[in-house]
Amino acid sequence: MKEFNVETCIWFSLMIVLLVFVYAALSLILPIVKPKIIEYPWKLPTLFRIRARDKEKVVILAGSYNPPHNGHLAMLEYLSQRYGQVIAVVGMNPNKKYLVSPEERVELIQSMLDTNPKLKNVRAQAVSGYVWRFAKREGASVFFRGVRSWEKDGKDERSLQILNTWGPLFLGPTWPVPTVYLEGKPEYNHVSSTLIRNICRGGATTAESLSSLVPSQGTEKVATLYSRK
């Protein structure tokens, strides 16, 4: 009877370990297969306890912001309404040369944030190396990425999500910060950093020519920075 009990306990323990392993594997794989996407119109939680919980969270909206534009600011405004702290992260490769440096882009974003009273809980920061390491240091609960739609941007985003999911496990080792995709505001879907850079490269760029693409506080600076040869 004693042997039977010991054997039963061993098998029971193995089953628990197996179930934990399966649960952990599924929690990592399923978000990649079926990513979480917040579609527009963006909604705020209706339950008070969820609103209160979100206000205690730090979240990240990562991107190149090269340059920042109205689409970025609309997303940051939504996140600032929902969460306690929001960090606009400009990823950077220290071995790469940029026409407009990540630090200059951070200054651009911050100048747009500082003049908008709705964005007082948002800050910009350049991050070198793996963004997930920075996210863990900051205690971020969610790693947001902006997309026009999953159909348009999903292929490239999935590769990055795999890196941000499995990288922490193998290089941390630590549990990854969940990735959530924020679908762009339709009225800004035609706006992209590439479009703005192309306009600036065309020459004779003025603040007026960027007024429908970039927040008014940054049009002159964007025109100056991105018209450089």
Side-chain angles (χ1 to χ4, degrees), residues 148-187:
R148 291 169 296 176
S149 69
W150 188 251
E151 290 72 23
K152 292 179 180 178
D153 301 326
K155 184 178 179 180
D156 293 334
E157 289 295 334
R158 180 168 275 127
S159 300
L160 186 59
Q161 185 177 0
I162 291 172
L163 175 63
N164 287 329
T165 299
W166 295 101
L169 291 172
F170 290 106
L171 301 176
T174 184
W175 196 255
V177 176
T179 299
V180 176
Y181 295 96
L182 189 59
E183 195 174 83
K185 200 171 182 179
E187 66 187 88

mmCIF file of all heavy atoms in Angstrom, residues 148-187:
data_model
loop_
_atom_site.group_PDB
_atom_site.id
_atom_site.type_symbol
_atom_site.label_atom_id
_atom_site.label_comp_id
_atom_site.label_asym_id
_atom_site.label_seq_id
_atom_site.Cartn_x
_atom_site.Cartn_y
_atom_site.Cartn_z
ATOM 1 N N ARG A 148 -1.250 49.249 -39.258
ATOM 2 C CA ARG A 148 -2.362 49.746 -40.074
ATOM 3 C C ARG A 148 -3.493 48.717 -40.037
ATOM 4 O O ARG A 148 -4.657 49.048 -39.824
ATOM 5 C CB ARG A 148 -1.894 49.991 -41.501
ATOM 6 C CG ARG A 148 -0.922 51.156 -41.656
ATOM 7 C CD ARG A 148 -0.294 51.174 -43.030
ATOM 8 N NE ARG A 148 0.530 49.979 -43.261
ATOM 9 C CZ ARG A 148 1.132 49.694 -44.411
ATOM 10 N NH1 ARG A 148 0.979 50.499 -45.448
ATOM 11 N NH2 ARG A 148 1.874 48.607 -44.537
ATOM 12 N N SER A 149 -3.143 47.464 -40.259
ATOM 13 C CA SER A 149 -4.023 46.309 -40.103
ATOM 14 C C SER A 149 -3.126 45.088 -40.067
ATOM 15 O O SER A 149 -1.970 45.138 -40.517
ATOM 16 C CB SER A 149 -5.032 46.204 -41.250
ATOM 17 O OG SER A 149 -4.374 45.853 -42.459
ATOM 18 N N TRP A 150 -3.641 43.976 -39.536
ATOM 19 C CA TRP A 150 -2.820 42.770 -39.477
ATOM 20 C C TRP A 150 -2.532 42.239 -40.886
ATOM 21 O O TRP A 150 -1.462 41.699 -41.148
ATOM 22 C CB TRP A 150 -3.499 41.698 -38.636
ATOM 23 C CG TRP A 150 -2.610 40.518 -38.398
ATOM 24 C CD1 TRP A 150 -2.715 39.272 -38.913
ATOM 25 C CD2 TRP A 150 -1.426 40.507 -37.581
ATOM 26 N NE1 TRP A 150 -1.686 38.478 -38.492
ATOM 27 C CE2 TRP A 150 -0.880 39.209 -37.663
ATOM 28 C CE3 TRP A 150 -0.779 41.463 -36.793
ATOM 29 C CZ2 TRP A 150 0.280 38.836 -36.982
ATOM 30 C CZ3 TRP A 150 0.373 41.099 -36.126
ATOM 31 C CH2 TRP A 150 0.894 39.805 -36.221
ATOM 32 N N GLU A 151 -3.499 42.406 -41.802
ATOM 33 C CA GLU A 151 -3.301 41.939 -43.170
ATOM 34 C C GLU A 151 -2.133 42.656 -43.839
ATOM 35 O O GLU A 151 -1.369 42.057 -44.599
ATOM 36 C CB GLU A 151 -4.579 42.154 -44.000
ATOM 37 C CG GLU A 151 -5.750 41.258 -43.630
ATOM 38 C CD GLU A 151 -6.382 41.627 -42.299
ATOM 39 O OE1 GLU A 151 -6.228 42.801 -41.878
ATOM 40 O OE2 GLU A 151 -6.993 40.742 -41.664
ATOM 41 N N LYS A 152 -1.964 43.938 -43.549
ATOM 42 C CA LYS A 152 -0.903 44.725 -44.184
ATOM 43 C C LYS A 152 0.448 44.564 -43.493
ATOM 44 O O LYS A 152 1.486 44.519 -44.157
ATOM 45 C CB LYS A 152 -1.294 46.215 -44.198
ATOM 46 C CG LYS A 152 -2.457 46.536 -45.120
ATOM 47 C CD LYS A 152 -2.792 48.015 -45.066
ATOM 48 C CE LYS A 152 -3.955 48.343 -45.994
ATOM 49 N NZ LYS A 152 -4.327 49.775 -45.923
ATOM 50 N N ASP A 153 0.442 44.488 -42.173
ATOM 51 C CA ASP A 153 1.704 44.532 -41.433
ATOM 52 C C ASP A 153 2.033 43.252 -40.669
ATOM 53 O O ASP A 153 3.105 43.145 -40.071
ATOM 54 C CB ASP A 153 1.675 45.702 -40.432
ATOM 55 C CG ASP A 153 1.467 47.043 -41.124
ATOM 56 O OD1 ASP A 153 1.969 47.197 -42.243
ATOM 57 O OD2 ASP A 153 0.814 47.917 -40.535
ATOM 58 N N GLY A 154 1.117 42.290 -40.691
ATOM 59 C CA GLY A 154 1.264 41.102 -39.856
ATOM 60 C C GLY A 154 2.509 40.271 -40.103
ATOM 61 O O GLY A 154 3.123 39.752 -39.170
ATOM 62 N N LYS A 155 2.893 40.137 -41.364
ATOM 63 C CA LYS A 155 4.041 39.274 -41.689
ATOM 64 C C LYS A 155 5.312 39.764 -41.004
ATOM 65 O O LYS A 155 6.037 38.984 -40.364
ATOM 66 C CB LYS A 155 4.246 39.229 -43.206
ATOM 67 C CG LYS A 155 5.343 38.280 -43.637
ATOM 68 C CD LYS A 155 5.462 38.230 -45.155
ATOM 69 C CE LYS A 155 6.589 37.283 -45.584
ATOM 70 N NZ LYS A 155 6.724 37.229 -47.063
ATOM 71 N N ASP A 156 5.594 41.054 -41.127
ATOM 72 C CA ASP A 156 6.794 41.611 -40.497
ATOM 73 C C ASP A 156 6.671 41.617 -38.972
ATOM 74 O O ASP A 156 7.643 41.350 -38.258
ATOM 75 C CB ASP A 156 7.047 43.037 -40.988
ATOM 76 C CG ASP A 156 7.420 43.079 -42.465
ATOM 77 O OD1 ASP A 156 7.957 42.069 -42.960
ATOM 78 O OD2 ASP A 156 7.171 44.111 -43.103
ATOM 79 N N GLU A 157 5.471 41.913 -38.480
ATOM 80 C CA GLU A 157 5.273 42.002 -37.038
ATOM 81 C C GLU A 157 5.399 40.643 -36.356
ATOM 82 O O GLU A 157 5.883 40.547 -35.232
ATOM 83 C CB GLU A 157 3.903 42.610 -36.722
ATOM 84 C CG GLU A 157 3.805 44.087 -37.043
ATOM 85 C CD GLU A 157 4.728 44.936 -36.174
ATOM 86 O OE1 GLU A 157 5.064 44.501 -35.053
ATOM 87 O OE2 GLU A 157 5.113 46.022 -36.612
ATOM 88 N N ARG A 158 4.980 39.581 -37.039
ATOM 89 C CA ARG A 158 5.057 38.248 -36.426
ATOM 90 C C ARG A 158 6.509 37.849 -36.154
ATOM 91 O O ARG A 158 6.809 37.259 -35.120
ATOM 92 C CB ARG A 158 4.370 37.213 -37.315
ATOM 93 C CG ARG A 158 4.423 35.807 -36.728
ATOM 94 C CD ARG A 158 3.514 34.842 -37.444
ATOM 95 N NE ARG A 158 2.159 34.920 -36.923
ATOM 96 C CZ ARG A 158 1.089 35.116 -37.675
ATOM 97 N NH1 ARG A 158 1.218 35.291 -38.973
ATOM 98 N NH2 ARG A 158 -0.119 35.138 -37.132
ATOM 99 N N SER A 159 7.402 38.189 -37.072
ATOM 100 C CA SER A 159 8.824 37.870 -36.864
ATOM 101 C C SER A 159 9.361 38.572 -35.630
ATOM 102 O O SER A 159 10.093 37.985 -34.825
ATOM 103 C CB SER A 159 9.643 38.289 -38.095
ATOM 104 O OG SER A 159 9.208 37.614 -39.248
ATOM 105 N N LEU A 160 8.964 39.841 -35.457
ATOM 106 C CA LEU A 160 9.409 40.599 -34.296
ATOM 107 C C LEU A 160 8.784 40.060 -33.017
ATOM 108 O O LEU A 160 9.431 40.008 -31.963
ATOM 109 C CB LEU A 160 9.053 42.078 -34.482
ATOM 110 C CG LEU A 160 9.565 43.051 -33.429
ATOM 111 C CD1 LEU A 160 11.087 43.006 -33.350
ATOM 112 C CD2 LEU A 160 9.110 44.471 -33.751
ATOM 113 N N GLN A 161 7.536 39.624 -33.110
ATOM 114 C CA GLN A 161 6.863 39.080 -31.928
ATOM 115 C C GLN A 161 7.532 37.784 -31.471
ATOM 116 O O GLN A 161 7.665 37.536 -30.263
ATOM 117 C CB GLN A 161 5.379 38.819 -32.215
ATOM 118 C CG GLN A 161 4.615 38.356 -30.986
ATOM 119 C CD GLN A 161 3.137 38.170 -31.240
ATOM 120 O OE1 GLN A 161 2.659 38.394 -32.353
ATOM 121 N NE2 GLN A 161 2.399 37.753 -30.232
ATOM 122 N N ILE A 162 7.958 36.962 -32.417
ATOM 123 C CA ILE A 162 8.666 35.730 -32.062
ATOM 124 C C ILE A 162 9.949 36.073 -31.302
ATOM 125 O O ILE A 162 10.276 35.456 -30.285
ATOM 126 C CB ILE A 162 8.979 34.905 -33.327
ATOM 127 C CG1 ILE A 162 7.678 34.350 -33.919
ATOM 128 C CG2 ILE A 162 9.949 33.770 -33.010
ATOM 129 C CD1 ILE A 162 7.840 33.695 -35.267
ATOM 130 N N LEU A 163 10.677 37.074 -31.791
ATOM 131 C CA LEU A 163 11.908 37.507 -31.115
ATOM 132 C C LEU A 163 11.614 38.002 -29.701
ATOM 133 O O LEU A 163 12.318 37.660 -28.745
ATOM 134 C CB LEU A 163 12.584 38.606 -31.927
ATOM 135 C CG LEU A 163 13.823 39.265 -31.302
ATOM 136 C CD1 LEU A 163 14.932 38.238 -31.139
ATOM 137 C CD2 LEU A 163 14.297 40.438 -32.151
ATOM 138 N N ASN A 164 10.540 38.816 -29.561
ATOM 139 C CA ASN A 164 10.205 39.381 -28.252
ATOM 140 C C ASN A 164 9.595 38.356 -27.297
ATOM 141 O O ASN A 164 9.515 38.587 -26.094
ATOM 142 C CB ASN A 164 9.235 40.557 -28.424
ATOM 143 C CG ASN A 164 9.918 41.779 -28.990
ATOM 144 O OD1 ASN A 164 11.098 42.013 -28.751
ATOM 145 N ND2 ASN A 164 9.191 42.564 -29.767
ATOM 146 N N THR A 165 9.143 37.214 -27.854
ATOM 147 C CA THR A 165 8.574 36.144 -27.023
ATOM 148 C C THR A 165 9.645 35.164 -26.567
ATOM 149 O O THR A 165 9.759 34.855 -25.381
ATOM 150 C CB THR A 165 7.472 35.392 -27.793
ATOM 151 O OG1 THR A 165 6.421 36.308 -28.123
ATOM 152 C CG2 THR A 165 6.899 34.257 -26.939
ATOM 153 N N TRP A 166 10.430 34.686 -27.492
ATOM 154 C CA TRP A 166 11.404 33.652 -27.174
ATOM 155 C C TRP A 166 12.753 34.217 -26.733
ATOM 156 O O TRP A 166 13.491 33.542 -26.010
ATOM 157 C CB TRP A 166 11.577 32.716 -28.373
ATOM 158 C CG TRP A 166 10.323 31.963 -28.663
ATOM 159 C CD1 TRP A 166 9.402 32.237 -29.636
ATOM 160 C CD2 TRP A 166 9.812 30.834 -27.940
ATOM 161 N NE1 TRP A 166 8.346 31.351 -29.577
ATOM 162 C CE2 TRP A 166 8.574 30.477 -28.545
ATOM 163 C CE3 TRP A 166 10.279 30.099 -26.848
ATOM 164 C CZ2 TRP A 166 7.809 29.417 -28.083
ATOM 165 C CZ3 TRP A 166 9.506 29.033 -26.397
ATOM 166 C CH2 TRP A 166 8.286 28.696 -27.008
ATOM 167 N N GLY A 167 13.069 35.442 -27.161
ATOM 168 C CA GLY A 167 14.325 36.061 -26.743
ATOM 169 C C GLY A 167 14.478 36.125 -25.231
ATOM 170 O O GLY A 167 15.512 35.716 -24.681
ATOM 171 N N PRO A 168 13.479 36.640 -24.514
ATOM 172 C CA PRO A 168 13.599 36.715 -23.056
ATOM 173 C C PRO A 168 13.790 35.346 -22.394
ATOM 174 O O PRO A 168 14.497 35.221 -21.402
ATOM 175 C CB PRO A 168 12.262 37.349 -22.627
ATOM 176 C CG PRO A 168 11.812 38.112 -23.824
ATOM 177 C CD PRO A 168 12.260 37.321 -25.009
ATOM 178 N N LEU A 169 13.154 34.309 -22.960
ATOM 179 C CA LEU A 169 13.259 32.982 -22.363
ATOM 180 C C LEU A 169 14.673 32.414 -22.472
ATOM 181 O O LEU A 169 15.193 31.813 -21.536
ATOM 182 C CB LEU A 169 12.271 32.024 -23.044
ATOM 183 C CG LEU A 169 10.785 32.291 -22.780
ATOM 184 C CD1 LEU A 169 9.932 31.404 -23.649
ATOM 185 C CD2 LEU A 169 10.453 32.064 -21.307
ATOM 186 N N PHE A 170 15.287 32.625 -23.635
ATOM 187 C CA PHE A 170 16.613 32.052 -23.871
ATOM 188 C C PHE A 170 17.749 32.961 -23.421
ATOM 189 O O PHE A 170 18.808 32.482 -23.021
ATOM 190 C CB PHE A 170 16.779 31.713 -25.353
ATOM 191 C CG PHE A 170 15.933 30.557 -25.801
ATOM 192 C CD1 PHE A 170 14.806 30.760 -26.564
ATOM 193 C CD2 PHE A 170 16.254 29.257 -25.429
ATOM 194 C CE1 PHE A 170 14.008 29.692 -26.971
ATOM 195 C CE2 PHE A 170 15.473 28.183 -25.825
ATOM 196 C CZ PHE A 170 14.339 28.395 -26.589
ATOM 197 N N LEU A 171 17.536 34.278 -23.509
ATOM 198 C CA LEU A 171 18.612 35.217 -23.183
ATOM 199 C C LEU A 171 18.450 35.865 -21.811
ATOM 200 O O LEU A 171 19.394 36.449 -21.292
ATOM 201 C CB LEU A 171 18.686 36.319 -24.253
ATOM 202 C CG LEU A 171 18.932 35.838 -25.694
ATOM 203 C CD1 LEU A 171 18.885 37.019 -26.655
ATOM 204 C CD2 LEU A 171 20.253 35.109 -25.801
ATOM 205 N N GLY A 172 17.263 35.784 -21.235
ATOM 206 C CA GLY A 172 17.003 36.409 -19.941
ATOM 207 C C GLY A 172 17.729 35.730 -18.790
ATOM 208 O O GLY A 172 18.697 36.267 -18.271
ATOM 209 N N PRO A 173 17.338 34.526 -18.393
ATOM 210 C CA PRO A 173 16.049 33.955 -18.772
ATOM 211 C C PRO A 173 14.936 34.606 -17.948
ATOM 212 O O PRO A 173 15.050 34.726 -16.736
ATOM 213 C CB PRO A 173 16.206 32.477 -18.427
ATOM 214 C CG PRO A 173 17.198 32.475 -17.304
ATOM 215 C CD PRO A 173 18.107 33.639 -17.509
ATOM 216 N N THR A 174 13.879 35.029 -18.624
ATOM 217 C CA THR A 174 12.761 35.681 -17.951
ATOM 218 C C THR A 174 11.516 35.514 -18.799
ATOM 219 O O THR A 174 11.603 35.231 -20.006
ATOM 220 C CB THR A 174 13.060 37.180 -17.727
ATOM 221 O OG1 THR A 174 12.003 37.774 -16.979
ATOM 222 C CG2 THR A 174 13.197 37.919 -19.048
ATOM 223 N N TRP A 175 10.365 35.674 -18.191
ATOM 224 C CA TRP A 175 9.098 35.527 -18.911
ATOM 225 C C TRP A 175 8.858 36.765 -19.768
ATOM 226 O O TRP A 175 9.083 37.890 -19.317
ATOM 227 C CB TRP A 175 7.947 35.340 -17.932
ATOM 228 C CG TRP A 175 6.694 34.816 -18.589
ATOM 229 C CD1 TRP A 175 5.566 35.525 -18.882
ATOM 230 C CD2 TRP A 175 6.465 33.478 -19.020
ATOM 231 N NE1 TRP A 175 4.639 34.707 -19.485
ATOM 232 C CE2 TRP A 175 5.169 33.436 -19.585
ATOM 233 C CE3 TRP A 175 7.225 32.306 -19.024
ATOM 234 C CZ2 TRP A 175 4.611 32.278 -20.128
ATOM 235 C CZ3 TRP A 175 6.677 31.153 -19.550
ATOM 236 C CH2 TRP A 175 5.385 31.142 -20.093
ATOM 237 N N PRO A 176 8.421 36.603 -21.027
ATOM 238 C CA PRO A 176 8.270 37.757 -21.918
ATOM 239 C C PRO A 176 7.104 38.668 -21.549
ATOM 240 O O PRO A 176 6.125 38.234 -20.944
ATOM 241 C CB PRO A 176 8.036 37.101 -23.291
ATOM 242 C CG PRO A 176 7.448 35.756 -22.971
ATOM 243 C CD PRO A 176 8.112 35.319 -21.697
ATOM 244 N N VAL A 177 7.237 39.927 -21.927
ATOM 245 C CA VAL A 177 6.140 40.892 -21.799
ATOM 246 C C VAL A 177 5.180 40.639 -22.966
ATOM 247 O O VAL A 177 5.622 40.561 -24.118
ATOM 248 C CB VAL A 177 6.666 42.340 -21.859
ATOM 249 C CG1 VAL A 177 5.511 43.337 -21.827
ATOM 250 C CG2 VAL A 177 7.636 42.602 -20.718
ATOM 251 N N PRO A 178 3.886 40.479 -22.711
ATOM 252 C CA PRO A 178 2.945 40.190 -23.806
ATOM 253 C C PRO A 178 2.863 41.320 -24.825
ATOM 254 O O PRO A 178 2.899 42.499 -24.466
ATOM 255 C CB PRO A 178 1.609 39.991 -23.088
ATOM 256 C CG PRO A 178 1.768 40.664 -21.766
ATOM 257 C CD PRO A 178 3.213 40.544 -21.403
ATOM 258 N N THR A 179 2.759 40.931 -26.094
ATOM 259 C CA THR A 179 2.642 41.893 -27.181
ATOM 260 C C THR A 179 1.183 42.051 -27.583
ATOM 261 O O THR A 179 0.463 41.057 -27.763
ATOM 262 C CB THR A 179 3.452 41.426 -28.412
ATOM 263 O OG1 THR A 179 4.828 41.315 -28.058
ATOM 264 C CG2 THR A 179 3.310 42.410 -29.563
ATOM 265 N N VAL A 180 0.745 43.292 -27.724
ATOM 266 C CA VAL A 180 -0.614 43.608 -28.184
ATOM 267 C C VAL A 180 -0.498 44.589 -29.341
ATOM 268 O O VAL A 180 0.313 45.528 -29.291
ATOM 269 C CB VAL A 180 -1.477 44.211 -27.053
ATOM 270 C CG1 VAL A 180 -2.857 44.610 -27.583
ATOM 271 C CG2 VAL A 180 -1.610 43.224 -25.898
ATOM 272 N N TYR A 181 -1.303 44.382 -30.379
ATOM 273 C CA TYR A 181 -1.256 45.251 -31.549
ATOM 274 C C TYR A 181 -2.409 46.247 -31.511
ATOM 275 O O TYR A 181 -3.546 45.894 -31.209
ATOM 276 C CB TYR A 181 -1.304 44.418 -32.831
ATOM 277 C CG TYR A 181 -0.090 43.548 -32.965
ATOM 278 C CD1 TYR A 181 -0.117 42.217 -32.557
ATOM 279 C CD2 TYR A 181 1.109 44.062 -33.445
ATOM 280 C CE1 TYR A 181 1.007 41.419 -32.626
ATOM 281 C CE2 TYR A 181 2.249 43.274 -33.522
ATOM 282 C CZ TYR A 181 2.190 41.952 -33.118
ATOM 283 O OH TYR A 181 3.313 41.173 -33.181
ATOM 284 N N LEU A 182 -2.062 47.496 -31.812
ATOM 285 C CA LEU A 182 -3.043 48.578 -31.809
ATOM 286 C C LEU A 182 -3.263 49.033 -33.239
ATOM 287 O O LEU A 182 -2.352 49.555 -33.883
ATOM 288 C CB LEU A 182 -2.524 49.732 -30.950
ATOM 289 C CG LEU A 182 -3.480 50.887 -30.648
ATOM 290 C CD1 LEU A 182 -4.730 50.388 -29.927
ATOM 291 C CD2 LEU A 182 -2.777 51.943 -29.793
ATOM 292 N N GLU A 183 -4.466 48.778 -33.728
ATOM 293 C CA GLU A 183 -4.794 49.135 -35.115
ATOM 294 C C GLU A 183 -4.923 50.641 -35.254
ATOM 295 O O GLU A 183 -5.507 51.309 -34.405
ATOM 296 C CB GLU A 183 -6.105 48.461 -35.509
ATOM 297 C CG GLU A 183 -6.381 48.437 -36.983
ATOM 298 C CD GLU A 183 -7.634 47.628 -37.302
ATOM 299 O OE1 GLU A 183 -8.753 48.192 -37.203
ATOM 300 O OE2 GLU A 183 -7.493 46.439 -37.623
ATOM 301 N N GLY A 184 -4.369 51.174 -36.325
ATOM 302 C CA GLY A 184 -4.330 52.621 -36.508
ATOM 303 C C GLY A 184 -5.695 53.260 -36.705
ATOM 304 O O GLY A 184 -6.655 52.620 -37.146
ATOM 305 N N LYS A 185 -5.766 54.527 -36.376
ATOM 306 C CA LYS A 185 -6.972 55.313 -36.598
ATOM 307 C C LYS A 185 -7.159 55.484 -38.105
ATOM 308 O O LYS A 185 -6.233 55.946 -38.797
ATOM 309 C CB LYS A 185 -6.815 56.685 -35.922
ATOM 310 C CG LYS A 185 -8.102 57.419 -35.653
ATOM 311 C CD LYS A 185 -7.826 58.653 -34.792
ATOM 312 C CE LYS A 185 -9.121 59.373 -34.460
ATOM 313 N NZ LYS A 185 -8.871 60.556 -33.604
ATOM 314 N N PRO A 186 -8.301 55.097 -38.665
ATOM 315 C CA PRO A 186 -8.486 55.097 -40.120
ATOM 316 C C PRO A 186 -8.143 56.406 -40.816
ATOM 317 O O PRO A 186 -7.595 56.397 -41.921
ATOM 318 C CB PRO A 186 -9.975 54.748 -40.285
ATOM 319 C CG PRO A 186 -10.309 53.961 -39.068
ATOM 320 C CD PRO A 186 -9.492 54.567 -37.963
ATOM 321 N N GLU A 187 -8.426 57.533 -40.179
ATOM 322 C CA GLU A 187 -8.167 58.813 -40.840
ATOM 323 C C GLU A 187 -6.679 59.095 -41.028
ATOM 324 O O GLU A 187 -6.298 59.978 -41.794
ATOM 325 C CB GLU A 187 -8.808 59.957 -40.057
ATOM 326 C CG GLU A 187 -8.214 60.197 -38.681
ATOM 327 C CD GLU A 187 -8.992 61.221 -37.888
ATOM 328 O OE1 GLU A 187 -9.958 60.822 -37.197
ATOM 329 O OE2 GLU A 187 -8.653 62.417 -37.959
#
